[in-house]
Amino acid sequence: MTESNTADRQPEEPAETTTESDVTSTSEPESGPKRRTIALDEGYQFGLGVFETMALRSGRIMMLDRHLNRLRKGAEALGIDVPSDDDLRWTLGEYLHEADLEGAASAVVKIILSEANTVITNRENPYDDWGPDRALHLGWCTTRRNERSLFTYHKTLNQGDNILEFRKAHDLGLDGAVFLNSRGEVCEATNANLFFVRDNRWYTPAVECGLLPGTVRQRVCEMHHAVETHIRPDDLAGFDACYATNSLMGVRPVAVLGEARFSVSPYGLFGR
């Protein structure tokens, strides 16, 4: 496989937009988007907030139950009161209506919760133009994942390590990078969970290694009866294939991870 240039491999991240239901309007300009204000609570000052980034297909938010469940668990871990699932569904439905997304073929919907704020945004899905055989090239993060931190296991507004490591990987022409924990075990990529395949058996780093258990990860674990285990970089040579998963790109083959090389097949050709 030949490598394409950075612009070909890395999707653009379109700007997010909001509607009236998101935050309080402070002014009403004659044209253009309304100016809005967000309460500077501990979420927006210190990162004590949670969010979910969800794929919308044909006007429907995919795996919404799983996303709301994880949102609630993260909020409870941070001591944030969360509206009921029914209220959140109603708010999201109103947002889709106001944003004219009820019949949209594809979009990304993001909900952000903190103590005093509920914000919903939308943008284009940057992976929509990717073909099924588009494989990822990943490196290693220089920052270690803290497997003892509460923030590691929830989708909080503390995303600094992920963003900075992603930027460093992007500057090297890569699609992302993979964290090791303090013991040198494989955890997760900067924006995805990882699976490894050997002899048609699926393996994934155990949650206790220090990772955010993704909604697609959960689904793939169920489908393939994946074994949660402890994996080190030296173990990678013993695997046939590698896949990265997140809610926007789904399941994506990985061609390169550091020095390791994997055979590339679109998801579905290994034990599905």
Side-chain angles (χ1 to χ4, degrees):
M1 174 178 291
T2 59
E3 293 190 21
S4 56
N5 60 34
T6 301
D8 289 336
R9 288 208 302 272
Q10 184 54 46
E12 295 293 329
E13 294 286 347
E16 296 174 329
T17 59
T18 63
T19 69
E20 182 64 35
S21 62
D22 300 334
V23 285
T24 304
S25 175
T26 57
S27 65
E28 185 72 38
E30 293 182 1
S31 62
K34 298 177 181 179
R35 295 180 59 189
R36 307 185 187 281
T37 184
I38 292 175
L40 294 180
D41 59 9
E42 290 184 328
Y44 284 84
Q45 293 193 79
F46 306 114
L48 296 182
V50 292
F51 72 97
E52 287 293 320
T53 307
M54 305 169 288
L56 181 140
R57 302 288 184 190
S58 300
R60 177 173 174 264
I61 295 176
M62 309 304 296
M63 296 190 294
L64 180 56
D65 287 343
R66 295 179 191 256
H67 282 291
L68 292 182
N69 182 56
R70 186 171 64 177
L71 186 77
R72 182 171 303 282
K73 287 182 177 179
E76 290 175 351
L78 298 182
I80 299 171
D81 291 331
V82 185
S84 69
D85 283 359
D86 286 343
D87 287 342
L88 287 174
R89 288 175 180 276
W90 185 88
T91 300
L92 285 165
E94 287 293 296
Y95 177 84
L96 297 182
H97 174 73
E98 294 173 12
D100 197 24
L101 292 174
E102 289 176 308
S106 176
V108 176
V109 178
K110 182 176 181 179
I111 183 169
I112 308 167
L113 292 180
S114 62
E115 182 181 6
N117 300 282
T118 299
V119 177
I120 305 176
T121 65
N122 76 84
R123 56 185 170 91
E124 296 177 1
N125 191 327
Y127 301 100
D128 278 350
D129 294 334
W130 285 26
D133 58 347
R134 164 78 156 72
L136 301 178
H137 292 65
L138 305 175
W140 295 107
C141 297
T142 57
T143 302
R144 291 294 180 105
R145 182 65 86 212
N146 181 2
E147 69 275 12
R148 298 182 178 182
S149 172
L150 172 71
F151 296 105
T152 295
Y153 301 97
H154 300 285
K155 202 173 184 72
T156 76
L157 299 181
N158 281 265
Q159 293 293 308
D161 284 344
N162 297 58
I163 293 170
L164 294 178
E165 290 291 348
F166 179 85
R167 289 175 180 173
K168 286 189 286 187
H170 181 266
D171 288 343
L172 295 174
L174 300 171
D175 295 299
V178 174
F179 287 98
L180 301 177
N181 64 17
S182 65
R183 301 187 296 264
E185 299 166 333
V186 177
C187 299
E188 61 184 346
T190 44
N191 65 350
N193 293 128
L194 296 171
F195 287 87
F196 301 91
V197 182
R198 180 175 57 224
D199 297 330
N200 218 31
R201 190 73 184 270
W202 288 64
Y203 301 85
T204 189
V207 173
E208 66 194 40
C209 292
L211 57 90
L212 174 72
T215 55
V216 177
R217 176 187 184 274
Q218 182 183 11
R219 181 62 178 142
V220 173
C221 282
E222 294 167 353
M223 291 178 63
H224 295 284
H225 306 288
V227 177
E228 293 199 27
T229 187
H230 296 239
I231 300 170
R232 292 182 175 273
D234 290 345
D235 299 328
L236 300 187
F239 292 101
D240 306 315
C242 177
Y243 291 90
T245 66
N246 71 32
S247 61
L248 301 187
M249 69 179 180
V251 183
R252 181 66 47 179
V254 175
V256 174
L257 172 46
E259 298 299 318
R261 303 292 185 271
F262 302 99
S263 61
V264 174
S265 295
Y267 178 58
L269 299 187
F270 279 90
R272 191 175 182 184

